[in-house]
Amino acid sequence: MELATKYDPSKVEEKWYQYWLDHKLFKSEPDEREPYTIVIPPPNVTGILHMGHMLNNTIQDILVRRARMKGKNACWVPGTDHASISTEAKVVAKLAAEGIRKTDLTREAYLEHAWDWTRKYGGIILEQLKKLGASCDWDRTCFTMDEKRSASVLKVFVDLFNKGKIYRGVRMVNWDPKALTALSDEEVIYREQQGKLYYLRYRIEGEDGYAVVATTRPETIMGDTAMCINPNDPKNRHLRGKKVIVPLVNRAVPVIEDDYVDTEFGTGCLKVTPAHDVNDYMLGEKYSLPSIDIFNDDGTISEAGEIYIGMDRFEVRRQIVRDLAAAGLLEKEEDYTNKVGFSERTDVPIEPKLSMQWFLKMEDMARPALEAVMNDTIRFYPAKFKNMYRHWMENIKDWCISRQLWWGHRIPAYYLPEGGYVVAETEEEALRLAREKSGNPGLTLRDLRQDEDCLDTWFSSWLWPISVFDGINNPDNEDINYYYPTNDLVTAPEIIFFWVARMIMSGFEYREKPCFYNVYFTGIVRDKLGRKMSKSLGNSPDPILLMDKYGADGVRMGMLLSSPAGNDLPFDEALCEQGRNFNNKIWNALRLVKGWAVADDVPQPDSARVAINWFDARLSAAVEQVDGELEKYRISEALMTVYKLFWDEFSSWYLEMVKPAYLQPADAVTYGATLAFFEKLMRMLHPFMPFITEEVWQSISERKAGESIMVMRMPDAGRKDEKSVADFEVVKQIVAGVRSVRLERNIPNKDTLALNIVSGEHLSEYNAVIMKMCNLENIARADKDAAAASFMVGTAEYAVPLGGAINVEEETGKMEQEIAYLEGFLRSVMKKLGNEKFVANAKPEIVANERKKQADAESKIKTLRESIANLKGE
């Protein structure tokens, strides 16, 4: 096969991806092999690929491809999430652009628009993942609102309701005034905001005096139903048992007492607004206070507020401050920094609001899920996230699972005409239960009204590891029994509560097993300035354009080079260039080897035999190292190990040692061994860079149709020869020493030199390699020649005779500099060894290592002094 002069990813990547698809190499069905399973964190159905997806899916693909090459039956299940809030926002915006309001449509008509949008834009991101090289079993693609997943969600809702774990009630919820829906606590992002603290005067009923309250939210005073003081606060004791008048609305409210009030905050007087503050709500419940909900769903003031009706809450804040000041009821205002909750989806400040919602009890479900992580049945990488998980699980609150949206799984609760409701998977079952509950056999479906709300999107995705194998509807089917529990989950730490914790809970609830065994948390992709990449900042490159420019392999490598688990990724496009350069290095190495002429009758040189023996040992050591790194999910480090093995050891050393002389043929044994090494290196690298490794593997020798590197076995560690690996590091230093002499004295590489062993141990079995790499005519033991350039390797001294061309003053100056360095090093070692505590308490091997450093330094100093004396003729 004639190899192209340059490696062109655009011609290679699409070709091999289609080849893999055509030969169904990603396909998985249950068989006798050990399964390896990953389920994709389902991206939003109408989303497009961003840098976080690139990182996450590259890591998943590495794990899946490696498992496949380890002989496992690897199954990577792809899919998308219906993303209620974000999809609904996009559909509403699209309708608005067409002059249509959601409120003008029936639910059915609106859902038609939503499905049209999903069909048009849904799945784009999955196609983009193919460009990345994702080896998913695309025949298994799922969608959280497809038939099986939807049936699973309804079945689970009914089951949990029947178990008494789902209930309906009025509670304080996080309300999103833009999306017009309740949010769970995990969907609220708290940010520090610079605001004001307003000191308001509440007139004491029947007196001339005032009680002063400090608040950041004067716009909520219309909902005040009490003032609260701390019973242990002497400065406010005069308010006990009295009433105060709410400013502007002139409503008298009681002064209550509770230890909850912080006497150091403001004046120690707290306005109590049970309908619009979580803590005030608890006080309201405790003291049976009325609740006045002053906000409409869109954040404007309702008629219950009495004043400012119809105005936006922030407009009211500005106006009410002016009105309070004009009425003499604003004592002062101060700059103040406080944390404000924002909707994770719409980025508007949330409004605490009393609302009738559906909730799932979490405390009992959290117990086994917490235990599984804390006892390492489920392992987190990095483990630092265990503490965050434990804190949340130990303080878990009931999950608000209802959303005031139309796009999603509609809550399967049906209200009876005379009151009450039933919960059922189907309308037919609901009707049967309604007739039974009401005792009215004449009820029809038209008499029942289904709940208008949808379920939180996470209520479908928490079932994902089970529902993708239809394990809810058919709990004993072949797929769920074979592929579940899954092996690894790769996700972002910001959804540890939204998704990871809840999946673990559902696993124990419905399979009595963990849903996965390992969770790898990726970091956040940031720009060079440390900012999180986002559309709004305009600092996020388009992944598709990056892959067009550098190739998918180049981008994969670029992202991984600086992406340790759980740590943020400071992305720099130069890393992708480094990935592309590595592609070119591999390709050029292949062209070099395939360009050799080969002759069966040429004997194998000693240098090649030694090189093959060394690289075989070095390759085995690297295989063992990569295996160890990947077992610990140190994926970046594993890639760097393979990268250095190919670039530094194989290309820079091995190929230089074995390549035939100019215009001479290679011997068949060395050529065969070199191709075998090349193939093993490609197999090691394949999970990280799948496209170029397939191209190279297919080019090394003739392959049959359907054969692929991706189903070849990963190399085993093989023979262990630590001595060969260590010895060759010494050889490298000898070669480097000779090359330094050439460089310093401008001796051309074509000129042969000699190498003298002046003192110390020498690895003579590597002479053939050293002679070839340094272009030497001989290596021999000899006394120190004054006209020679010397260098040290360990405690051995070498000299390159220069035939009188040596500058004695320059040479001795270099040696004296080295002696000065060694004496400084020796002093630091002696300081340690002179410390009795160190010698007594350090491990024996550490003390022994320090004593060896002492002996080596002393030996080198002695040798260098002798060399200086010889040069000076002393």
Side-chain angles (χ1 to χ4, degrees):
M1 183 189 293
E2 189 176 338
L3 298 177
T5 308
K6 289 185 176 179
Y7 178 72
D8 186 351
S10 65
K11 292 179 180 174
V12 168
E13 294 177 351
E14 191 176 337
K15 172 183 76 175
W16 289 121
Y17 200 86
Q18 193 57 51
Y19 178 87
W20 296 330
L21 289 175
D22 290 345
H23 291 92
K24 299 191 179 300
L25 296 176
F26 306 153
K27 183 77 178 157
S28 176
E29 292 292 346
D31 60 23
E32 71 288 346
R33 290 175 294 167
E34 178 188 345
Y36 174 85
T37 317
I38 285 188
V39 293
I40 199 170
N44 290 359
V45 66
T46 59
I48 56 171
L49 202 62
H50 59 60
M51 297 304 286
H53 293 133
M54 291 283 285
L55 174 62
N56 183 295
N57 287 281
T58 294
I59 291 167
Q60 289 179 78
D61 195 45
I62 289 166
L63 296 173
V64 168
R65 286 180 182 272
R66 181 170 174 78
R68 203 178 275 124
M69 294 179 77
K70 285 283 188 181
K72 296 177 183 177
N73 186 353
C75 179
W76 184 9
V77 182
T80 51
D81 186 278
H82 65 278
S84 291
I85 294 176
S86 58
T87 302
E88 180 134 344
K90 287 175 182 174
V91 175
V92 168
K94 176 216 173 230
L95 290 171
E98 297 169 2
I100 303 169
R101 290 185 303 178
K102 178 186 172 184
T103 50
D104 293 337
L105 298 173
T106 64
R107 187 187 194 109
E108 291 68 26
Y110 171 80
L111 289 175
E112 271 306 309
H113 285 283
W115 276 110
D116 286 346
W117 176 273
T118 301
R119 282 188 282 266
K120 183 174 180 181
Y121 296 103
I124 289 175
I125 192 167
L126 298 185
E127 290 303 311
Q128 292 175 322
L129 286 176
K130 292 177 182 178
K131 188 173 176 68
L132 180 66
S135 58
C136 302
D137 183 350
W138 298 107
D139 292 342
R140 291 183 175 273
T141 302
C142 298
F143 174 45
T144 51
M145 273 181 65
D146 65 25
E147 194 175 326
K148 286 182 180 176
R149 264 47 63 181
S150 294
S152 301
V153 168
L154 299 184
K155 186 179 280 289
V156 164
F157 184 96
V158 173
D159 175 65
L160 292 173
F161 177 81
N162 290 335
K163 288 175 178 173
K165 294 184 178 183
I166 284 179
Y167 63 93
R168 183 171 181 261
V170 175
R171 297 288 186 278
M172 179 68 69
V173 297
N174 306 296
W175 186 263
D176 182 333
K178 185 174 180 183
L180 302 178
T181 183
L183 303 174
S184 66
D185 290 344
E186 293 71 44
E187 291 169 297
V188 179
I189 310 297
Y190 286 91
R191 297 189 206 129
E192 284 199 343
Q193 297 281 298
Q194 295 298 320
K196 296 281 186 184
L197 191 61
Y198 302 95
Y199 288 76
L200 313 184
R201 293 173 173 169
Y202 286 61
R203 189 163 52 81
I204 302 168
E205 188 179 50
E207 297 181 18
D208 291 334
Y210 292 95
V212 178
V213 166
T215 180
T216 58
R217 302 202 63 195
E219 69 274 16
T220 64
I221 63 172
M222 296 86 79
D224 289 359
T225 57
M227 177 182 284
C228 191
I229 59 171
N230 192 310
N232 304 309
D233 183 4
K235 66 179 181 291
N236 286 316
R237 201 167 287 156
H238 66 286
L239 296 172
R240 278 183 174 174
K242 296 181 179 177
K243 289 187 175 184
V244 293
I245 308 298
V246 179
L248 300 184
V249 292
N250 297 318
R251 181 171 55 248
V253 296
V255 176
I256 60 173
E257 298 177 62
D258 196 278
D259 291 337
Y260 164 73
V261 177
D262 180 359
T263 59
E264 300 302 315
F265 178 79
T267 61
C269 293
L270 176 77
K271 64 187 281 300
V272 183
T273 318
H276 299 294
D277 181 274
V278 174
N279 297 311
D280 290 7
Y281 172 69
M282 290 189 288
L283 285 172
E285 292 280 287
K286 187 173 179 179
Y287 295 99
S288 303
L289 299 174
S291 286
I292 304 172
D293 185 351
I294 65 164
F295 288 123
N296 294 314
D297 288 350
D298 61 359
T300 58
I301 302 297
S302 70
E303 291 194 5
E306 298 182 27
I307 51 178
Y308 311 113
I309 295 166
M311 287 175 64
D312 179 76
R313 53 190 172 148
F314 297 116
E315 188 184 342
V316 172
R317 182 180 299 177
R318 290 186 290 271
Q319 184 60 47
I320 202 170
V321 169
R322 290 194 288 267
D323 293 346
L324 287 164
L329 298 173
L330 177 66
E331 182 147 309
K332 63 176 178 174
E333 53 184 89
E334 298 173 344
D335 289 334
Y336 186 69
T337 302
N338 68 327
K339 286 193 172 180
V340 177
F342 285 77
S343 166
E344 189 240 358
R345 292 294 181 188
T346 62
D347 202 37
V348 300
I350 61 102
E351 196 60 60
K353 181 178 171 68
L354 282 174
S355 181
M356 177 68 80
Q357 302 288 343
W358 293 87
F359 295 87
L360 173 58
K361 296 177 183 176
M362 301 298 279
E363 191 175 347
D364 290 344
M365 296 180 78
R367 210 167 287 119
L370 173 60
E371 188 181 334
V373 171
M374 299 318 292
N375 67 19
D376 286 337
T377 299
I378 297 171
R379 291 182 180 272
F380 283 2
Y381 296 89
K384 67 181 181 182
F385 290 108
K386 283 174 69 173
N387 283 335
M388 183 200 295
Y389 179 86
R390 177 180 57 78
H391 176 75
W392 187 74
M393 294 293 270
E394 286 178 348
N395 297 280
I396 199 163
K397 296 177 183 175
D398 288 355
W399 175 11
C400 176
I401 57 174
S402 47
R403 298 291 179 271
Q404 287 62 57
L405 303 168
W406 281 351
W407 175 246
H409 299 101
R410 192 171 180 181
I411 291 176
Y414 298 81
Y415 298 96
L416 280 62
E418 65 276 11
Y421 60 89
V422 294
V423 169
E425 293 175 49
T426 65
E427 290 180 336
E428 293 73 25
E429 177 65 7
L431 182 58
R432 185 188 68 77
L433 291 172
R435 285 171 175 171
E436 193 177 287
K437 183 170 186 172
S438 66
N440 180 1
L443 277 180
T444 67
L445 271 177
R446 281 196 301 274
D447 297 321
L448 302 183
R449 179 179 59 84
Q450 187 174 352
D451 198 300
E452 292 289 323
D453 290 353
C454 278
L455 287 160
D456 180 5
T457 299
W458 298 104
F459 195 84
S460 53
S461 48
W462 81 314
L463 305 172
W464 191 244
I466 305 172
S467 66
V468 295
F469 299 115
D470 202 23
I472 298 293
N473 300 316
N474 297 293
D476 199 33
N477 75 73
E478 185 183 21
D479 274 4
I480 192 73
N481 289 334
Y482 180 75
Y483 291 114
Y484 187 95
T486 68
N487 295 76
D488 297 325
L489 176 74
V490 181
T491 190
E494 55 260 38
I495 56 173
I496 191 170
F497 310 129
F498 282 132
W499 194 44
V500 179
R502 290 168 179 167
M503 280 193 290
I504 296 172
M505 287 187 241
S506 76
F508 283 105
E509 181 72 20
Y510 286 102
R511 301 299 299 177
E512 297 181 351
K513 291 178 185 175
C515 47
F516 32 69
Y517 291 112
N518 304 290
V519 183
Y520 178 101
F521 291 107
T522 61
I524 295 170
V525 185
R526 298 187 181 276
D527 66 12
K528 286 186 281 187
L529 300 176
R531 300 174 304 173
K532 184 176 178 179
M533 286 190 171
S534 69
K535 285 182 193 172
S536 57
L537 287 175
N539 63 345
S540 181
D542 182 336
I544 301 299
L545 295 180
L546 280 179
M547 288 190 281
D548 287 341
K549 186 175 180 181
Y550 300 105
D553 286 335
V555 178
R556 285 167 69 119
M557 180 176 173
M559 296 203 75
L560 287 167
L561 282 178
S562 57
S563 178
N567 291 334
D568 290 353
L569 164 64
F571 180 76
D572 185 344
E573 199 170 314
L575 295 169
C576 297
E577 192 171 354
Q578 187 178 344
R580 181 176 63 187
N581 293 344
F582 188 38
N583 273 340
N584 294 334
K585 182 78 170 178
I586 294 167
W587 191 250
N588 290 335
L590 177 68
R591 291 185 70 243
L592 171 72
V593 175
K594 295 292 279 186
W596 294 344
V598 183
D600 291 335
D601 57 347
V602 173
Q604 184 183 40
D606 281 349
S607 58
R609 178 187 54 76
V610 172
I612 290 167
N613 186 63
W614 161 71
F615 192 73
D616 186 47
R618 184 67 191 83
L619 183 68
S620 290
V623 168
E624 186 175 19
Q625 185 178 346
V626 168
D627 283 344
E629 285 164 343
L630 286 173
E631 278 173 20
K632 295 171 187 161
Y633 293 82
R634 297 174 64 179
I635 294 170
S636 300
E637 291 88 340
L639 170 59
M640 188 54 75
T641 298
V642 185
Y643 173 80
K644 288 179 176 176
L645 177 67
F646 189 94
W647 194 296
D648 298 342
E649 310 288 19
F650 184 69
S651 291
S652 300
W653 286 99
Y654 174 80
L655 289 181
E656 290 300 311
M657 289 189 279
V658 301
K659 74 179 180 185
Y662 183 63
L663 294 179
Q664 297 299 308
D667 69 279
V669 174
T670 300
Y671 181 70
T674 302
L675 287 183
F677 286 147
F678 217 127
E679 187 172 335
K680 283 184 178 178
L681 285 164
M682 292 302 97
R683 282 189 267 152
M684 288 179 74
L685 187 59
H686 177 74
F688 305 96
M689 302 176 78
F691 293 109
I692 189 167
T693 51
E694 183 74 80
E695 178 76 2
V696 169
W697 186 84
Q698 297 278 354
S699 304
I700 286 173
S701 60
E702 220 170 292
R703 310 291 182 188
K704 295 174 187 172
E707 286 188 318
S708 169
I709 189 173
M710 66 177 282
V711 289
M712 298 299 291
R713 290 302 290 264
M714 192 60 70
D716 293 321
R719 71 183 185 91
K720 204 169 185 178
D721 189 348
E722 291 174 358
K723 186 177 185 305
S724 285
V725 173
D727 285 351
F728 197 78
E729 293 306 306
V730 176
V731 171
K732 286 180 184 177
Q733 292 178 60
I734 298 169
V735 172
V738 176
R739 287 176 173 174
S740 292
V741 171
R742 280 190 186 276
L743 190 66
E744 287 165 6
R745 288 164 180 78
N746 294 317
I747 302 170
N749 289 330
K750 63 183 175 58
D751 294 356
T752 56
L753 296 172
L755 180 65
N756 292 339
I757 308 156
V758 178
S759 64
E761 295 294 320
H762 172 69
L763 300 164
S764 58
E765 62 269 34
Y766 289 93
N767 279 358
V769 166
I770 297 168
M771 289 175 71
K772 178 172 182 178
M773 297 294 281
C774 299
N775 192 16
L776 302 175
E777 57 189 8
N778 74 296
I779 300 174
R781 284 198 175 270
D783 292 335
K784 185 67 180 282
D785 181 354
S790 65
F791 59 89
M792 304 285 295
V793 174
T795 55
E797 183 180 12
Y798 292 88
V800 178
L802 297 173
I806 192 165
N807 182 324
V808 173
E809 190 176 334
E810 187 180 308
E811 199 66 25
T812 55
K814 286 179 186 173
M815 291 184 189
E816 280 166 354
Q817 277 185 340
E818 192 170 350
I819 287 171
Y821 166 77
L822 287 167
E823 284 176 338
F825 175 75
L826 183 60
R827 279 193 296 274
S828 70
V829 172
M830 296 308 294
K831 190 176 179 183
K832 267 190 185 179
L833 291 172
N835 183 333
E836 291 180 10
K837 280 188 178 177
F838 170 77
V839 175
N841 298 322
K843 291 180 180 178
E845 59 267 29
I846 292 175
V847 176
N849 189 46
E850 293 299 316
R851 294 199 193 284
K852 184 178 184 303
K853 287 180 188 176
Q854 176 193 351
D856 286 352
E858 288 170 345
S859 172
K860 284 182 181 180
I861 291 168
K862 180 172 179 286
T863 302
L864 287 165
R865 289 198 194 286
E866 288 171 357
S867 296
I868 291 170
N870 285 336
L871 281 172
K872 290 180 176 178
E874 295 173 358

